[in-house]
Amino acid sequence: MSWSLERDDGTVTEWERSDGYATVRLRERADGGFVVRLDVMEQAVDESAYERERFDDGEAAAERAAAWRDAHDLDE
């Protein structure tokens, strides 16, 4: 399943999986750090999950967001 960019307002960037049961969000914190969050709902065909990681570097945060999207992509 593919991911689509649902929000990108300069502070929050969020992708949603095409089945609607998983999201990955990257958010810039007020202190200049970044938080990346994975949320796979219980209704998803894959195992539900919730993970959150904090990064000082935006590039590292973006790499984590991409890795989670790759890891939780589903074959259609």
Side-chain angles (χ1 to χ4, degrees):
M1 294 192 174
S2 62
W3 292 82
S4 60
L5 184 63
E6 294 297 314
R7 179 178 175 184
D8 188 6
D9 61 16
T11 302
V12 175
T13 304
E14 185 170 46
W15 297 266
E16 183 176 298
R17 197 167 62 186
S18 60
D19 67 353
Y21 293 128
T23 60
V24 172
R25 177 181 284 193
L26 189 156
R27 176 178 59 87
E28 185 172 3
R29 295 170 42 98
D31 65 5
F34 296 85
V35 173
V36 183
R37 187 259 301 144
L38 165 71
D39 189 5
V40 181
M41 292 187 242
E42 291 181 18
Q43 298 90 338
V45 296
D46 52 338
E47 188 174 326
S48 68
Y50 185 89
E51 296 186 49
R52 180 182 180 275
E53 291 186 31
R54 184 173 177 213
F55 296 87
D56 293 326
D57 178 59
E59 187 174 320
E63 288 174 7
R64 168 55 75 199
W68 276 340
R69 291 191 313 272
D70 287 345
H72 291 276
D73 203 16
L74 299 174
D75 295 328
E76 293 195 64

